[in-house]
Amino acid sequence: MLVTAGVVDAAAVREALIWARDRRKSLPEALLALGHADEPTVYRALSKVEGLPFVDLSKGNIASAVLELVPDDMAVEQRIVPVIEKGGALIVAVDDPAKRIVADQLQFQLGRDVRCALTTPSALSAALSNYYGDSDAALAVSADAVEAAVAAGADSDDAPVIRLVARMFADAMKLRASDIHLEPAQDGLRVRYRIDGVLREVAKHPPHLAAPLTSRLKVMGSMDIAEKRKPQDGRIEVDLGGTQLDVRCSILPSNHGETIVMRLLDRNANLLSLADLGFDGEDQKWFDKLISRPNGIVLVTGPTGSGKTTSLYAALKALNRPDVKIITAEDPVEYHISGINQVQVNKKVGLTFARILRAMLRAAPNVILVGEIRDLETAEVAVQAALTGHLVFSTLHTNDAPSAITRLIDMGVQPFLASAAVQGVMAQRLVRRLCPECKKPYEPDAEELRSLGLEPSAHTGATFYRPGGCATCEGIGYKGRIGLFELLELAPALREMIFEGQPLEELVRSAESSGKLRTLLADGARKIMAGTTSVSEVLRVTRAAGALEVAGASS
């Protein structure tokens, strides 16, 4: 629309899009920051695109009766200004079309029709200052009041900071965030959401809000609000209109205050099936065959946040039948599954993985899940269970599948026991899916193909895809995630090499030559050629040689 009107040219728009994507900003913010257009022109065009009326708050005065319809603290906190009553509806000015959700909340609170009109950010700030006084000062008063109330044990749902926390959780769920990061700095409190495995800054609050926000979260997580020098952990249960959100909260003291990381888990979300995880046909047959065995250990490895627990739950879901008894030991229990006996680790009373595992064996299960093998005691009991007729699932923190065997041996498990007990290992990572609406085809160069382990001459003319950017994916080029899997099956020859104490390099070489090891990079190459993800994504998680150069060339 701006190009058609002659305000900017196509080159300026391209420059602004690149600037916006690199900094996780919107196109209007980019155009203004680069000086390509003025604020009223950009926001008038944006109002037409979004189908919202435009209002110029610099002209005229707003009636006091209209201003009184919205509580002062809510107007300041949400950055909205009531403008006029028209046709039985209250019109409120906002500077972001996404704030239409605020109108829905206000409509519920006031019991009347509320509609939005768009204005410029500078005009909105001036109006807030004019009609409500200094916005930062108003928030500071509210923040101090909430912190005092929290310290006294009070809990008012009307307090602005309490509503801010509730909205933070609601926005995170709406954006599909897996965790929330609150990071205090000298110039303010930065809020970041991890979406599809990548952190994105979504807000920056004034410095004075850090203390009351932290106090509120400590109260919700049953932590000590007076302790600010030591790390603390807590759990918060949040009800978002019927959606039960389980939050694991970790607080760490830093040089500018307490930094908070909250991992979000939607208890109402459906468990994924093995097919949903991203298994190709042959890989799923391999995994189905592996989990159908009557005994042995099946290990899933990978770094934190790589989807290990999701894969294990998918396996349990496939095995959950009336004739199969399944018991799990978890820290924490993330999903409650009907028909499965789930036990929560509780170190305070000595209920560790190893102790639960020993007790499990007396309960005659067919299938056992141990959340993680962390020490020799747990590893030895898991091996004992596998060798006495139980199918055992567990996780390890290793970079690839073959390293899981050597990790067990390093813990102290005897090589002959490890080789006999372990049936297979699956290493995994998560990569972002290309947005199907805007992914762009291109022909890769020879260097990109070699970085994926592909021979350029065999793939001449192959069509690969890279990220674009559209409204569906919010200009990122990716939406959702899919798994990459490395599969290792322990054949008799490999078991013999483990028993003999052969080095890891020899194990990998033997497994690859015999076809018993399919690597992460090979699975990534298959998903790239299928148009599911991009070269830069696969190289980002596999850390292949030359990844940085190729990623830079293809992004």
PDB file of all heavy atoms in Angstrom, residues 191-226:
ATOM      1  N   VAL A 191      11.741  -9.266  28.685  1.00  0.00           N
ATOM      2  CA  VAL A 191      10.925 -10.480  28.662  1.00  0.00           C
ATOM      3  C   VAL A 191      11.125 -11.155  27.313  1.00  0.00           C
ATOM      4  O   VAL A 191      10.916 -10.537  26.265  1.00  0.00           O
ATOM      5  CB  VAL A 191       9.427 -10.159  28.873  1.00  0.00           C
ATOM      6  CG1 VAL A 191       8.601 -11.444  28.876  1.00  0.00           C
ATOM      7  CG2 VAL A 191       9.221  -9.394  30.168  1.00  0.00           C
ATOM      8  N   ARG A 192      11.540 -12.429  27.356  1.00  0.00           N
ATOM      9  CA  ARG A 192      11.732 -13.179  26.124  1.00  0.00           C
ATOM     10  C   ARG A 192      10.966 -14.490  26.188  1.00  0.00           C
ATOM     11  O   ARG A 192      10.905 -15.127  27.243  1.00  0.00           O
ATOM     12  CB  ARG A 192      13.217 -13.463  25.877  1.00  0.00           C
ATOM     13  CG  ARG A 192      14.044 -12.214  25.643  1.00  0.00           C
ATOM     14  CD  ARG A 192      15.403 -12.536  25.023  1.00  0.00           C
ATOM     15  NE  ARG A 192      16.306 -13.179  25.960  1.00  0.00           N
ATOM     16  CZ  ARG A 192      17.521 -13.624  25.634  1.00  0.00           C
ATOM     17  NH1 ARG A 192      17.946 -13.507  24.396  1.00  0.00           N
ATOM     18  NH2 ARG A 192      18.303 -14.170  26.546  1.00  0.00           N
ATOM     19  N   TYR A 193      10.372 -14.887  25.060  1.00  0.00           N
ATOM     20  CA  TYR A 193       9.714 -16.181  24.944  1.00  0.00           C
ATOM     21  C   TYR A 193      10.552 -17.066  24.021  1.00  0.00           C
ATOM     22  O   TYR A 193      11.088 -16.585  23.018  1.00  0.00           O
ATOM     23  CB  TYR A 193       8.317 -16.058  24.321  1.00  0.00           C
ATOM     24  CG  TYR A 193       7.299 -15.281  25.141  1.00  0.00           C
ATOM     25  CD1 TYR A 193       6.133 -14.808  24.552  1.00  0.00           C
ATOM     26  CD2 TYR A 193       7.496 -15.031  26.495  1.00  0.00           C
ATOM     27  CE1 TYR A 193       5.186 -14.110  25.282  1.00  0.00           C
ATOM     28  CE2 TYR A 193       6.556 -14.325  27.233  1.00  0.00           C
ATOM     29  CZ  TYR A 193       5.403 -13.872  26.614  1.00  0.00           C
ATOM     30  OH  TYR A 193       4.473 -13.167  27.337  1.00  0.00           O
ATOM     31  N   ARG A 194      10.643 -18.357  24.363  1.00  0.00           N
ATOM     32  CA  ARG A 194      11.283 -19.301  23.446  1.00  0.00           C
ATOM     33  C   ARG A 194      10.189 -19.921  22.596  1.00  0.00           C
ATOM     34  O   ARG A 194       9.347 -20.677  23.094  1.00  0.00           O
ATOM     35  CB  ARG A 194      12.059 -20.387  24.199  1.00  0.00           C
ATOM     36  CG  ARG A 194      12.923 -21.240  23.260  1.00  0.00           C
ATOM     37  CD  ARG A 194      13.703 -22.308  24.020  1.00  0.00           C
ATOM     38  NE  ARG A 194      14.649 -21.752  24.967  1.00  0.00           N
ATOM     39  CZ  ARG A 194      15.866 -21.313  24.630  1.00  0.00           C
ATOM     40  NH1 ARG A 194      16.251 -21.343  23.370  1.00  0.00           N
ATOM     41  NH2 ARG A 194      16.670 -20.823  25.545  1.00  0.00           N
ATOM     42  N   ILE A 195      10.205 -19.589  21.314  1.00  0.00           N
ATOM     43  CA  ILE A 195       9.183 -20.056  20.378  1.00  0.00           C
ATOM     44  C   ILE A 195       9.854 -20.899  19.307  1.00  0.00           C
ATOM     45  O   ILE A 195      10.774 -20.425  18.637  1.00  0.00           O
ATOM     46  CB  ILE A 195       8.425 -18.865  19.751  1.00  0.00           C
ATOM     47  CG1 ILE A 195       7.794 -18.005  20.856  1.00  0.00           C
ATOM     48  CG2 ILE A 195       7.364 -19.355  18.776  1.00  0.00           C
ATOM     49  CD1 ILE A 195       7.231 -16.697  20.377  1.00  0.00           C
ATOM     50  N   ASP A 196       9.415 -22.134  19.167  1.00  0.00           N
ATOM     51  CA  ASP A 196      10.031 -23.075  18.218  1.00  0.00           C
ATOM     52  C   ASP A 196      11.536 -23.197  18.458  1.00  0.00           C
ATOM     53  O   ASP A 196      12.333 -23.278  17.528  1.00  0.00           O
ATOM     54  CB  ASP A 196       9.751 -22.658  16.770  1.00  0.00           C
ATOM     55  CG  ASP A 196       8.291 -22.803  16.394  1.00  0.00           C
ATOM     56  OD1 ASP A 196       7.607 -23.609  17.048  1.00  0.00           O
ATOM     57  OD2 ASP A 196       7.833 -22.121  15.464  1.00  0.00           O
ATOM     58  N   GLY A 197      11.924 -23.150  19.738  1.00  0.00           N
ATOM     59  CA  GLY A 197      13.326 -23.366  20.095  1.00  0.00           C
ATOM     60  C   GLY A 197      14.222 -22.150  19.999  1.00  0.00           C
ATOM     61  O   GLY A 197      15.408 -22.227  20.315  1.00  0.00           O
ATOM     62  N   VAL A 198      13.678 -21.003  19.582  1.00  0.00           N
ATOM     63  CA  VAL A 198      14.482 -19.786  19.413  1.00  0.00           C
ATOM     64  C   VAL A 198      13.909 -18.674  20.293  1.00  0.00           C
ATOM     65  O   VAL A 198      12.702 -18.430  20.292  1.00  0.00           O
ATOM     66  CB  VAL A 198      14.505 -19.328  17.937  1.00  0.00           C
ATOM     67  CG1 VAL A 198      15.295 -18.042  17.783  1.00  0.00           C
ATOM     68  CG2 VAL A 198      15.094 -20.423  17.048  1.00  0.00           C
ATOM     69  N   LEU A 199      14.780 -17.993  21.047  1.00  0.00           N
ATOM     70  CA  LEU A 199      14.329 -16.917  21.927  1.00  0.00           C
ATOM     71  C   LEU A 199      13.917 -15.688  21.127  1.00  0.00           C
ATOM     72  O   LEU A 199      14.581 -15.306  20.169  1.00  0.00           O
ATOM     73  CB  LEU A 199      15.426 -16.533  22.916  1.00  0.00           C
ATOM     74  CG  LEU A 199      15.617 -17.474  24.111  1.00  0.00           C
ATOM     75  CD1 LEU A 199      16.872 -17.086  24.879  1.00  0.00           C
ATOM     76  CD2 LEU A 199      14.409 -17.431  25.036  1.00  0.00           C
ATOM     77  N   ARG A 200      12.813 -15.073  21.546  1.00  0.00           N
ATOM     78  CA  ARG A 200      12.322 -13.863  20.883  1.00  0.00           C
ATOM     79  C   ARG A 200      11.930 -12.840  21.951  1.00  0.00           C
ATOM     80  O   ARG A 200      11.155 -13.142  22.855  1.00  0.00           O
ATOM     81  CB  ARG A 200      11.108 -14.203  20.013  1.00  0.00           C
ATOM     82  CG  ARG A 200      10.628 -13.048  19.140  1.00  0.00           C
ATOM     83  CD  ARG A 200       9.322 -13.368  18.458  1.00  0.00           C
ATOM     84  NE  ARG A 200       9.355 -14.628  17.729  1.00  0.00           N
ATOM     85  CZ  ARG A 200       8.297 -15.143  17.098  1.00  0.00           C
ATOM     86  NH1 ARG A 200       7.139 -14.496  17.141  1.00  0.00           N
ATOM     87  NH2 ARG A 200       8.396 -16.297  16.469  1.00  0.00           N
ATOM     88  N   GLU A 201      12.476 -11.640  21.852  1.00  0.00           N
ATOM     89  CA  GLU A 201      12.128 -10.595  22.814  1.00  0.00           C
ATOM     90  C   GLU A 201      10.732 -10.075  22.514  1.00  0.00           C
ATOM     91  O   GLU A 201      10.424  -9.695  21.383  1.00  0.00           O
ATOM     92  CB  GLU A 201      13.136  -9.444  22.753  1.00  0.00           C
ATOM     93  CG  GLU A 201      12.900  -8.382  23.821  1.00  0.00           C
ATOM     94  CD  GLU A 201      14.003  -7.344  23.892  1.00  0.00           C
ATOM     95  OE1 GLU A 201      15.157  -7.671  23.540  1.00  0.00           O
ATOM     96  OE2 GLU A 201      13.714  -6.211  24.302  1.00  0.00           O
ATOM     97  N   VAL A 202       9.876 -10.048  23.548  1.00  0.00           N
ATOM     98  CA  VAL A 202       8.492  -9.630  23.341  1.00  0.00           C
ATOM     99  C   VAL A 202       8.129  -8.366  24.112  1.00  0.00           C
ATOM    100  O   VAL A 202       7.131  -7.719  23.794  1.00  0.00           O
ATOM    101  CB  VAL A 202       7.515 -10.764  23.733  1.00  0.00           C
ATOM    102  CG1 VAL A 202       7.679 -11.962  22.820  1.00  0.00           C
ATOM    103  CG2 VAL A 202       7.699 -11.177  25.187  1.00  0.00           C
ATOM    104  N   ALA A 203       8.904  -8.017  25.134  1.00  0.00           N
ATOM    105  CA  ALA A 203       8.567  -6.819  25.917  1.00  0.00           C
ATOM    106  C   ALA A 203       9.781  -6.364  26.707  1.00  0.00           C
ATOM    107  O   ALA A 203      10.714  -7.138  26.945  1.00  0.00           O
ATOM    108  CB  ALA A 203       7.405  -7.110  26.868  1.00  0.00           C
ATOM    109  N   LYS A 204       9.743  -5.102  27.100  1.00  0.00           N
ATOM    110  CA  LYS A 204      10.756  -4.558  28.005  1.00  0.00           C
ATOM    111  C   LYS A 204      10.049  -3.623  28.975  1.00  0.00           C
ATOM    112  O   LYS A 204       9.479  -2.605  28.580  1.00  0.00           O
ATOM    113  CB  LYS A 204      11.841  -3.808  27.232  1.00  0.00           C
ATOM    114  CG  LYS A 204      13.072  -3.535  28.083  1.00  0.00           C
ATOM    115  CD  LYS A 204      14.302  -3.352  27.231  1.00  0.00           C
ATOM    116  CE  LYS A 204      15.553  -3.358  28.076  1.00  0.00           C
ATOM    117  NZ  LYS A 204      16.770  -3.282  27.269  1.00  0.00           N
ATOM    118  N   HIS A 205      10.069  -3.994  30.261  1.00  0.00           N
ATOM    119  CA  HIS A 205       9.365  -3.234  31.282  1.00  0.00           C
ATOM    120  C   HIS A 205      10.328  -2.295  32.009  1.00  0.00           C
ATOM    121  O   HIS A 205      11.538  -2.550  32.049  1.00  0.00           O
ATOM    122  CB  HIS A 205       8.718  -4.182  32.294  1.00  0.00           C
ATOM    123  CG  HIS A 205       7.702  -5.107  31.691  1.00  0.00           C
ATOM    124  ND1 HIS A 205       6.647  -4.656  30.946  1.00  0.00           N
ATOM    125  CD2 HIS A 205       7.607  -6.465  31.722  1.00  0.00           C
ATOM    126  CE1 HIS A 205       5.922  -5.689  30.541  1.00  0.00           C
ATOM    127  NE2 HIS A 205       6.492  -6.798  30.995  1.00  0.00           N
ATOM    128  N   PRO A 206       9.814  -1.221  32.610  1.00  0.00           N
ATOM    129  CA  PRO A 206      10.669  -0.321  33.395  1.00  0.00           C
ATOM    130  C   PRO A 206      11.350  -1.081  34.538  1.00  0.00           C
ATOM    131  O   PRO A 206      10.813  -2.064  35.048  1.00  0.00           O
ATOM    132  CB  PRO A 206       9.669   0.717  33.933  1.00  0.00           C
ATOM    133  CG  PRO A 206       8.500   0.655  33.015  1.00  0.00           C
ATOM    134  CD  PRO A 206       8.422  -0.759  32.545  1.00  0.00           C
ATOM    135  N   PRO A 207      12.539  -0.640  34.970  1.00  0.00           N
ATOM    136  CA  PRO A 207      13.292  -1.358  36.018  1.00  0.00           C
ATOM    137  C   PRO A 207      12.517  -1.566  37.311  1.00  0.00           C
ATOM    138  O   PRO A 207      12.685  -2.578  37.980  1.00  0.00           O
ATOM    139  CB  PRO A 207      14.518  -0.465  36.247  1.00  0.00           C
ATOM    140  CG  PRO A 207      14.674   0.333  34.997  1.00  0.00           C
ATOM    141  CD  PRO A 207      13.286   0.549  34.473  1.00  0.00           C
ATOM    142  N   HIS A 208      11.649  -0.605  37.655  1.00  0.00           N
ATOM    143  CA  HIS A 208      10.950  -0.706  38.943  1.00  0.00           C
ATOM    144  C   HIS A 208       9.931  -1.840  38.974  1.00  0.00           C
ATOM    145  O   HIS A 208       9.407  -2.182  40.033  1.00  0.00           O
ATOM    146  CB  HIS A 208      10.265   0.630  39.279  1.00  0.00           C
ATOM    147  CG  HIS A 208       9.274   1.078  38.253  1.00  0.00           C
ATOM    148  ND1 HIS A 208       9.558   2.056  37.336  1.00  0.00           N
ATOM    149  CD2 HIS A 208       8.018   0.669  37.978  1.00  0.00           C
ATOM    150  CE1 HIS A 208       8.513   2.252  36.551  1.00  0.00           C
ATOM    151  NE2 HIS A 208       7.565   1.413  36.917  1.00  0.00           N
ATOM    152  N   LEU A 209       9.609  -2.441  37.822  1.00  0.00           N
ATOM    153  CA  LEU A 209       8.653  -3.547  37.814  1.00  0.00           C
ATOM    154  C   LEU A 209       9.309  -4.886  38.142  1.00  0.00           C
ATOM    155  O   LEU A 209       8.605  -5.874  38.392  1.00  0.00           O
ATOM    156  CB  LEU A 209       7.969  -3.644  36.442  1.00  0.00           C
ATOM    157  CG  LEU A 209       6.882  -2.614  36.149  1.00  0.00           C
ATOM    158  CD1 LEU A 209       6.277  -2.862  34.778  1.00  0.00           C
ATOM    159  CD2 LEU A 209       5.797  -2.656  37.208  1.00  0.00           C
ATOM    160  N   ALA A 210      10.640  -4.964  38.112  1.00  0.00           N
ATOM    161  CA  ALA A 210      11.331  -6.240  38.319  1.00  0.00           C
ATOM    162  C   ALA A 210      11.020  -6.829  39.695  1.00  0.00           C
ATOM    163  O   ALA A 210      10.695  -8.015  39.819  1.00  0.00           O
ATOM    164  CB  ALA A 210      12.842  -6.052  38.143  1.00  0.00           C
ATOM    165  N   ALA A 211      11.119  -6.018  40.752  1.00  0.00           N
ATOM    166  CA  ALA A 211      10.919  -6.518  42.108  1.00  0.00           C
ATOM    167  C   ALA A 211       9.501  -7.034  42.346  1.00  0.00           C
ATOM    168  O   ALA A 211       9.321  -8.162  42.834  1.00  0.00           O
ATOM    169  CB  ALA A 211      11.283  -5.444  43.122  1.00  0.00           C
ATOM    170  N   PRO A 212       8.447  -6.263  42.006  1.00  0.00           N
ATOM    171  CA  PRO A 212       7.092  -6.788  42.240  1.00  0.00           C
ATOM    172  C   PRO A 212       6.757  -7.999  41.374  1.00  0.00           C
ATOM    173  O   PRO A 212       6.058  -8.902  41.829  1.00  0.00           O
ATOM    174  CB  PRO A 212       6.183  -5.601  41.915  1.00  0.00           C
ATOM    175  CG  PRO A 212       7.013  -4.671  41.112  1.00  0.00           C
ATOM    176  CD  PRO A 212       8.411  -4.848  41.577  1.00  0.00           C
ATOM    177  N   LEU A 213       7.245  -8.033  40.143  1.00  0.00           N
ATOM    178  CA  LEU A 213       7.009  -9.204  39.291  1.00  0.00           C
ATOM    179  C   LEU A 213       7.645 -10.450  39.907  1.00  0.00           C
ATOM    180  O   LEU A 213       7.037 -11.526  39.961  1.00  0.00           O
ATOM    181  CB  LEU A 213       7.579  -8.966  37.892  1.00  0.00           C
ATOM    182  CG  LEU A 213       6.653  -8.367  36.843  1.00  0.00           C
ATOM    183  CD1 LEU A 213       7.422  -8.080  35.564  1.00  0.00           C
ATOM    184  CD2 LEU A 213       5.489  -9.281  36.549  1.00  0.00           C
ATOM    185  N   THR A 214       8.887 -10.303  40.374  1.00  0.00           N
ATOM    186  CA  THR A 214       9.584 -11.431  41.001  1.00  0.00           C
ATOM    187  C   THR A 214       8.853 -11.876  42.268  1.00  0.00           C
ATOM    188  O   THR A 214       8.673 -13.077  42.497  1.00  0.00           O
ATOM    189  CB  THR A 214      11.032 -11.038  41.346  1.00  0.00           C
ATOM    190  OG1 THR A 214      11.706 -10.623  40.143  1.00  0.00           O
ATOM    191  CG2 THR A 214      11.787 -12.195  41.955  1.00  0.00           C
ATOM    192  N   SER A 215       8.419 -10.923  43.077  1.00  0.00           N
ATOM    193  CA  SER A 215       7.702 -11.269  44.308  1.00  0.00           C
ATOM    194  C   SER A 215       6.410 -12.017  44.006  1.00  0.00           C
ATOM    195  O   SER A 215       6.066 -12.998  44.676  1.00  0.00           O
ATOM    196  CB  SER A 215       7.388 -10.002  45.114  1.00  0.00           C
ATOM    197  OG  SER A 215       8.570  -9.379  45.546  1.00  0.00           O
ATOM    198  N   ARG A 216       5.701 -11.559  42.988  1.00  0.00           N
ATOM    199  CA  ARG A 216       4.448 -12.220  42.614  1.00  0.00           C
ATOM    200  C   ARG A 216       4.705 -13.664  42.194  1.00  0.00           C
ATOM    201  O   ARG A 216       3.994 -14.581  42.623  1.00  0.00           O
ATOM    202  CB  ARG A 216       3.779 -11.442  41.479  1.00  0.00           C
ATOM    203  CG  ARG A 216       2.581 -12.132  40.851  1.00  0.00           C
ATOM    204  CD  ARG A 216       1.476 -12.362  41.870  1.00  0.00           C
ATOM    205  NE  ARG A 216       0.336 -13.029  41.269  1.00  0.00           N
ATOM    206  CZ  ARG A 216      -0.622 -13.630  41.958  1.00  0.00           C
ATOM    207  NH1 ARG A 216      -0.567 -13.668  43.276  1.00  0.00           N
ATOM    208  NH2 ARG A 216      -1.631 -14.217  41.340  1.00  0.00           N
ATOM    209  N   LEU A 217       5.717 -13.894  41.388  1.00  0.00           N
ATOM    210  CA  LEU A 217       6.024 -15.242  40.908  1.00  0.00           C
ATOM    211  C   LEU A 217       6.521 -16.131  42.053  1.00  0.00           C
ATOM    212  O   LEU A 217       6.233 -17.332  42.083  1.00  0.00           O
ATOM    213  CB  LEU A 217       7.062 -15.179  39.791  1.00  0.00           C
ATOM    214  CG  LEU A 217       6.546 -14.554  38.484  1.00  0.00           C
ATOM    215  CD1 LEU A 217       7.694 -14.271  37.529  1.00  0.00           C
ATOM    216  CD2 LEU A 217       5.511 -15.460  37.815  1.00  0.00           C
ATOM    217  N   LYS A 218       7.274 -15.549  43.007  1.00  0.00           N
ATOM    218  CA  LYS A 218       7.727 -16.331  44.162  1.00  0.00           C
ATOM    219  C   LYS A 218       6.538 -16.794  45.002  1.00  0.00           C
ATOM    220  O   LYS A 218       6.511 -17.932  45.488  1.00  0.00           O
ATOM    221  CB  LYS A 218       8.678 -15.494  45.018  1.00  0.00           C
ATOM    222  CG  LYS A 218      10.081 -15.361  44.452  1.00  0.00           C
ATOM    223  CD  LYS A 218      10.954 -14.532  45.376  1.00  0.00           C
ATOM    224  CE  LYS A 218      12.389 -14.428  44.857  1.00  0.00           C
ATOM    225  NZ  LYS A 218      13.228 -13.592  45.748  1.00  0.00           N
ATOM    226  N   VAL A 219       5.569 -15.926  45.191  1.00  0.00           N
ATOM    227  CA  VAL A 219       4.380 -16.300  45.961  1.00  0.00           C
ATOM    228  C   VAL A 219       3.626 -17.413  45.236  1.00  0.00           C
ATOM    229  O   VAL A 219       3.202 -18.401  45.850  1.00  0.00           O
ATOM    230  CB  VAL A 219       3.471 -15.072  46.192  1.00  0.00           C
ATOM    231  CG1 VAL A 219       2.108 -15.506  46.723  1.00  0.00           C
ATOM    232  CG2 VAL A 219       4.120 -14.115  47.172  1.00  0.00           C
ATOM    233  N   MET A 220       3.457 -17.279  43.919  1.00  0.00           N
ATOM    234  CA  MET A 220       2.743 -18.295  43.140  1.00  0.00           C
ATOM    235  C   MET A 220       3.468 -19.640  43.180  1.00  0.00           C
ATOM    236  O   MET A 220       2.839 -20.696  43.155  1.00  0.00           O
ATOM    237  CB  MET A 220       2.589 -17.829  41.696  1.00  0.00           C
ATOM    238  CG  MET A 220       1.704 -16.615  41.526  1.00  0.00           C
ATOM    239  SD  MET A 220       1.653 -16.027  39.815  1.00  0.00           S
ATOM    240  CE  MET A 220       0.639 -17.305  39.052  1.00  0.00           C
ATOM    241  N   GLY A 221       4.814 -19.602  43.241  1.00  0.00           N
ATOM    242  CA  GLY A 221       5.598 -20.825  43.236  1.00  0.00           C
ATOM    243  C   GLY A 221       5.995 -21.315  44.615  1.00  0.00           C
ATOM    244  O   GLY A 221       6.837 -22.216  44.733  1.00  0.00           O
ATOM    245  N   SER A 222       5.378 -20.747  45.681  1.00  0.00           N
ATOM    246  CA  SER A 222       5.655 -21.142  47.075  1.00  0.00           C
ATOM    247  C   SER A 222       7.139 -21.048  47.411  1.00  0.00           C
ATOM    248  O   SER A 222       7.715 -21.938  48.037  1.00  0.00           O
ATOM    249  CB  SER A 222       5.140 -22.571  47.336  1.00  0.00           C
ATOM    250  OG  SER A 222       3.761 -22.658  47.091  1.00  0.00           O
ATOM    251  N   MET A 223       7.773 -19.971  46.965  1.00  0.00           N
ATOM    252  CA  MET A 223       9.179 -19.736  47.270  1.00  0.00           C
ATOM    253  C   MET A 223       9.307 -18.633  48.318  1.00  0.00           C
ATOM    254  O   MET A 223       8.335 -17.958  48.655  1.00  0.00           O
ATOM    255  CB  MET A 223       9.937 -19.358  45.986  1.00  0.00           C
ATOM    256  CG  MET A 223      10.064 -20.510  44.994  1.00  0.00           C
ATOM    257  SD  MET A 223      10.873 -20.031  43.441  1.00  0.00           S
ATOM    258  CE  MET A 223       9.466 -19.406  42.503  1.00  0.00           C
ATOM    259  N   ASP A 224      10.514 -18.438  48.820  1.00  0.00           N
ATOM    260  CA  ASP A 224      10.780 -17.448  49.864  1.00  0.00           C
ATOM    261  C   ASP A 224      10.983 -16.082  49.212  1.00  0.00           C
ATOM    262  O   ASP A 224      11.987 -15.846  48.537  1.00  0.00           O
ATOM    263  CB  ASP A 224      12.025 -17.867  50.649  1.00  0.00           C
ATOM    264  CG  ASP A 224      12.318 -16.933  51.828  1.00  0.00           C
ATOM    265  OD1 ASP A 224      11.576 -15.937  52.004  1.00  0.00           O
ATOM    266  OD2 ASP A 224      13.294 -17.198  52.557  1.00  0.00           O
ATOM    267  N   ILE A 225      10.040 -15.161  49.437  1.00  0.00           N
ATOM    268  CA  ILE A 225      10.145 -13.851  48.788  1.00  0.00           C
ATOM    269  C   ILE A 225      11.232 -12.995  49.419  1.00  0.00           C
ATOM    270  O   ILE A 225      11.696 -12.017  48.810  1.00  0.00           O
ATOM    271  CB  ILE A 225       8.801 -13.085  48.810  1.00  0.00           C
ATOM    272  CG1 ILE A 225       8.376 -12.772  50.243  1.00  0.00           C
ATOM    273  CG2 ILE A 225       7.730 -13.860  48.082  1.00  0.00           C
ATOM    274  CD1 ILE A 225       7.189 -11.834  50.316  1.00  0.00           C
ATOM    275  N   ALA A 226      11.652 -13.334  50.641  1.00  0.00           N
ATOM    276  CA  ALA A 226      12.694 -12.542  51.311  1.00  0.00           C
ATOM    277  C   ALA A 226      14.096 -12.960  50.877  1.00  0.00           C
ATOM    278  O   ALA A 226      15.049 -12.195  51.042  1.00  0.00           O
ATOM    279  CB  ALA A 226      12.562 -12.689  52.819  1.00  0.00           C
TER     280      ALA A 226
END
